[in-house]
Amino acid sequence: ILGLASLVLCGCSTSKTASTASSDVPLYSNVSTDAGFDTVFYYQEYNQDKDASEAHFNEAVSLFTHYNDLFDIYNDYAGMNNLKTVNDNAGIAPVTVDPEIIAMLEEAKQAYVE
């Protein structure tokens, strides 16, 4: 069991490759624990501009949060019809939803058919 655990932990570790270790470009990293999907969102990029990296991180967190809200089946969000809204109205009334939900449902149906 210990051997298996060490293999799993070693497989999860990160390290710089030879090409990035010798680079003069600094590594920017940040983490969000409340972006959504009940998970930790870890972000990193190599960039000389720390402000640009921070802006990229904030944009990624915003997008992650958007998808969490859109595909949440347990919570309502103001100004948005999400999957919970669709489920709550199933067989009762039509619901206008975001095109991203339609695309996801079409892809899920296609995956089910295949």
Side-chain angles (χ1 to χ4, degrees), residues 17-113:
T17 62
S19 62
T20 57
S22 62
S23 175
D24 292 332
V25 180
L27 174 65
Y28 168 85
S29 64
N30 205 336
V31 65
S32 173
T33 58
D34 61 353
F37 296 106
D38 296 324
T39 190
V40 175
F41 179 78
Y42 182 76
Y43 179 89
Q44 67 180 18
E45 74 175 67
Y46 289 93
N47 194 337
Q48 294 285 6
D49 186 348
K50 185 177 188 287
D51 292 336
S53 294
E54 185 70 26
H56 297 157
F57 169 73
N58 290 331
E59 184 178 339
V61 167
S62 177
L63 190 59
F64 200 78
T65 302
H66 168 74
Y67 283 119
N68 175 78
D69 296 353
L70 196 59
F71 297 121
D72 193 338
I73 61 171
Y74 301 109
N75 300 295
D76 293 309
Y77 297 96
M80 166 185 286
N81 288 336
N82 63 3
L83 285 182
K84 181 177 185 310
T85 310
V86 172
N87 290 339
D88 288 348
N89 288 285
I92 299 171
V95 177
T96 302
V97 296
D98 192 290
E100 291 170 303
I101 290 177
I102 299 298
M104 185 271 306
L105 292 172
E106 289 173 346
E107 189 172 329
K109 182 180 178 183
Q110 184 63 33
Y112 176 77
V113 170

